[in-house]
Amino acid sequence: MSYKTIVGLEIHVELSTKTKAFCSCENTFGGEPNSRVCPVCLALPGATPVLNEQVVKYTVMSGLALNCTINHNSKFDRKNYFYPDLTKGFQITQNYMPLCTEGYLEIDGDEGLKKVGIFQIQMEEDTGKSLHSDDETLLDYNRCGVPLIEIVSKPDMNSGREGREFLEKLKNTLKYIGVSDVKMEEGSLRCDVNVNIKDEETGKKTAITEVKNLNSFRAVEKAIDYEVQRHIKILESGEDEPKTTRRWDDVNNETVLMRVKYTAADYRFAPEGDLVSVVIDDEYIEQVRKELPELPEAKKERFMNEYGLSEYDAKILTSTKQLSNYFDDVAKNFNDYNMVSNWIMTEVLRRVDDLENGFSLPFEEEDFIELLTLIKSGKINNNAGKKVLREMFETSKKPMEIIEEKGLIQVSDDSQIEIWVDEVLGENPQSIEDIKNGKDRAFGFLVGQVMKKSKGKANPGVVNEILKSRVQ
């Protein structure tokens, strides 16, 4: 039998505004419980919300970056449900007239480049946080009213890998434009997965399952793959299951039933009477568009065209905004672009602990350019350059200072290298015989012995030339 996997995602992203969505409380992660609250976000009687203009701008930025239509008129609604961390007994959101609709994001799908549709992006507020222990539940309302955008994808993904790919690309895009820090570990990016499957022979579909409590992209992929297998078993058994909400158990790598899934009717959506409509014009939209930075996909294409980089190298170097800016800045002052790419991707990135949270180095950009110039000009060789870079990371010293301290200047003088070559040949007559008998590895051995005798200072190119003239 042939089954088609159908995956849609609902992603909540906390916006990095200075204040909350509808009041002037500080919008920052953490803090003493219930220290960043006011009558508005606590829903005290008589307190009314006022929309933060920056929330609108960041939502428009997100919509433009994700190829959405920006609607000139949008409205807020009340999503009614009871939960202790929801102070008002309803959440302010946009169900019927969201700000952004009909977008898409291109991903590397299972069968090539794929457009995943975005149904809508809506502005809304976050709830508080429940802290559970064995005998009590404590409530921290600092998060109440924090501005969110909810990004609802179309069910265009067909595997766990595609779901993960979509999330990674979405996260990178939102971080590039600066609307959110998208830190999953702090809850500023949260994802719910909707999964079902279709029997392509009979056309029968399983009911959609929503999976919550996903705390990593890897968990998203694993949860989708787990649910696919569970849904196949449901179809093959001939049973029916209603729409359900399940949570991901990261310890046992399985989903666990929470409840039968709510429907729109359960939430009793109603217009939000305390907030006016959001009306924006084309001039405002175009002004926001002009302020958008170069997006990751466009930057990747530019790196390939302008610098001649491979698609793989360009993808790595544009994986974060800071890293791509660093490469751009270095490349402006050092025109061997492949050399810059190779050194950043191999020697630099393996010493950077946390690329996700920024790209900062313990030395100046000019110092890195100077090191590359010294290597390219032959003043030091590659191995010496690696030693110098390691020392730069450890001590923040200048390249020439390290080179002089450690005596790493490369020797290109023929007369000195000839002395080392002659000494090595005198010590290894068998290797000369091996070379004459066609054993090429012996030549590499002799090169290594000369480099060892010179303590790594000999110019390898000159060593190769002199050795060839001696043994051929």
Side-chain angles (χ1 to χ4, degrees):
M1 298 180 76
S2 177
Y3 300 110
K4 180 181 179 180
T5 299
I6 305 168
V7 178
L9 301 178
E10 297 174 11
I11 302 110
H12 290 86
V13 179
E14 289 185 0
L15 300 178
S16 299
T17 56
K18 291 182 179 179
T19 56
K20 292 184 181 181
F22 304 114
C23 66
S24 59
C25 290
E26 184 182 1
N27 177 25
T28 53
F29 177 75
E32 285 294 315
N34 300 307
S35 62
R36 294 179 180 139
V37 294
C38 72
V40 173
C41 51
L42 287 178
L44 298 184
T48 54
V50 176
L51 177 60
N52 183 344
E53 184 181 352
Q54 194 70 22
V55 174
V56 177
K57 182 177 180 180
Y58 278 6
T59 307
V60 172
M61 288 173 67
S62 303
L64 292 173
L66 298 174
N67 306 293
C68 290
T69 297
I70 311 300
N71 297 313
H72 293 98
N73 195 309
S74 66
K75 294 182 179 181
F76 287 99
D77 304 298
R78 293 183 177 186
K79 181 180 180 179
N80 294 275
Y81 64 97
F82 174 78
Y83 206 73
D85 60 18
L86 189 64
T87 53
K88 295 188 289 291
F90 62 85
Q91 179 191 30
I92 298 177
T93 183
Q94 292 188 303
N95 184 58
Y96 298 114
M97 296 179 66
L99 186 55
C100 311
T101 52
E102 294 302 320
Y104 67 88
L105 187 62
E106 287 189 334
I107 65 168
D108 296 322
D110 295 335
E111 299 179 0
L113 198 63
K114 181 178 201 175
K115 277 187 180 181
V116 175
I118 293 171
F119 179 65
Q120 66 185 45
I121 304 176
Q122 60 203 48
M123 298 179 284
E124 59 187 32
E125 62 178 341
D126 211 342
T127 61
K129 187 174 182 180
S130 300
L131 307 169
H132 303 287
S133 64
D134 291 338
D135 56 356
E136 63 181 359
T137 295
L138 302 176
L139 292 165
D140 180 6
Y141 291 112
N142 279 347
R143 205 174 63 183
C144 267
V146 165
L148 298 176
I149 50 173
E150 182 177 0
I151 301 168
V152 182
S153 86
K154 293 184 178 180
D156 292 342
M157 291 159 278
N158 305 115
S159 68
R161 194 201 70 81
E162 287 191 349
R164 180 175 180 171
E165 173 74 15
F166 178 87
L167 275 174
E168 287 176 345
K169 197 156 189 180
L170 177 72
K171 176 181 178 180
N172 197 23
T173 300
L174 296 177
K175 194 165 186 180
Y176 251 75
I177 64 176
V179 299
S180 174
D181 60 20
V182 286
K183 292 180 179 178
M184 227 171 175
E185 68 276 12
E186 293 183 3
S188 53
L189 185 149
R190 307 192 291 275
C191 176
D192 297 335
V193 171
N194 292 302
V195 186
N196 67 325
I197 63 168
K198 176 183 178 182
D199 184 332
E200 295 199 290
E201 293 180 8
T202 66
K204 184 177 181 181
K205 294 181 181 179
T206 55
I208 295 170
T209 296
E210 180 183 38
V211 185
K212 294 181 173 291
N213 194 40
L214 297 159
N215 57 10
S216 70
F217 292 167
R218 178 65 181 147
V220 168
E221 182 175 8
K222 288 163 70 176
I224 292 170
D225 292 341
Y226 177 88
E227 278 299 303
V228 168
Q229 295 305 312
R230 196 179 69 81
H231 278 242
I232 289 174
K233 290 177 182 176
I234 291 171
L235 265 187
E236 292 181 344
S237 69
E239 298 176 359
D240 286 320
E241 179 183 88
K243 290 184 177 182
T244 57
T245 297
R246 302 175 72 92
R247 65 176 177 84
W248 177 247
D249 185 333
D250 221 5
V251 176
N252 297 311
N253 285 319
E254 64 182 15
T255 62
V256 179
L257 179 65
M258 292 173 66
R259 60 179 178 267
V260 173
K261 186 172 171 58
Y262 288 133
T263 65
D266 294 320
Y267 291 120
R268 295 181 295 113
F269 283 102
E272 168 52 66
D274 289 332
L275 290 166
V276 297
S277 299
V278 177
V279 180
I280 55 178
D281 56 20
D282 288 332
E283 184 180 354
Y284 176 85
I285 295 170
E286 288 310 308
Q287 182 59 44
V288 174
R289 194 191 302 275
K290 289 177 184 176
E291 294 177 21
L292 280 176
E294 186 178 25
L295 297 174
E297 194 62 33
K299 186 169 282 191
K300 187 186 87 170
E301 292 297 319
R302 178 170 67 81
F303 276 23
M304 293 166 64
N305 296 330
E306 185 176 332
Y307 299 127
L309 301 183
S310 69
E311 183 176 6
Y312 175 80
D313 287 6
K315 185 175 181 180
I316 297 296
L317 291 169
T318 57
S319 59
T320 74
K321 187 178 180 180
Q322 293 92 334
L323 176 59
S324 64
N325 287 346
Y326 188 81
F327 177 86
D328 248 342
D329 292 342
V330 172
K332 287 174 186 174
N333 297 285
F334 189 85
N335 62 8
D336 189 334
Y337 308 132
N338 281 315
M339 185 178 178
V340 177
S341 171
N342 290 336
W343 273 80
I344 290 178
M345 289 177 59
T346 56
E347 300 306 315
V348 172
L349 287 186
R350 70 190 182 93
R351 292 182 170 87
V352 176
D353 293 330
D354 188 6
L355 189 59
E356 283 293 312
N357 292 316
F359 179 76
S360 60
L361 302 178
F363 47 83
E364 298 297 324
E365 177 187 303
E366 292 76 12
D367 297 332
F368 183 57
I369 294 170
E370 182 185 357
L371 174 62
L372 296 180
T373 303
L374 289 166
I375 296 167
K376 188 173 176 65
S377 66
K379 294 254 175 61
I380 61 173
N381 60 37
N382 264 347
N383 286 334
K386 292 174 184 178
K387 293 176 183 177
V388 173
L389 185 65
R390 183 174 64 242
E391 189 81 7
M392 289 165 65
F393 268 95
E394 293 172 355
T395 66
S396 301
K397 289 181 179 178
K398 302 289 183 183
M400 276 308 299
E401 184 181 355
I402 297 167
I403 291 166
E404 290 169 359
E405 282 179 2
K406 296 187 177 295
L408 296 174
I409 290 291
Q410 182 166 267
V411 176
S412 297
D413 178 55
D414 287 10
S415 60
Q416 176 58 62
I417 294 176
E418 284 173 352
I419 293 171
W420 287 326
V421 168
D422 289 339
E423 289 177 0
V424 167
L425 292 176
E427 294 165 1
N428 298 278
Q430 183 58 50
S431 293
I432 299 172
E433 282 299 312
D434 290 343
I435 292 169
K436 290 178 178 178
N437 292 326
K439 296 181 180 179
D440 295 337
R441 291 180 63 184
F443 187 85
F445 169 76
L446 292 176
V447 172
Q449 291 302 301
V450 175
M451 295 305 296
K452 183 177 179 182
K453 191 172 284 286
S454 71
K455 297 181 180 177
K457 295 180 183 178
N459 185 317
V462 178
V463 171
N464 271 272
E465 289 176 10
I466 294 174
L467 264 174
K468 284 177 183 176
S469 69
R470 291 286 199 273
V471 297
Q472 289 180 349

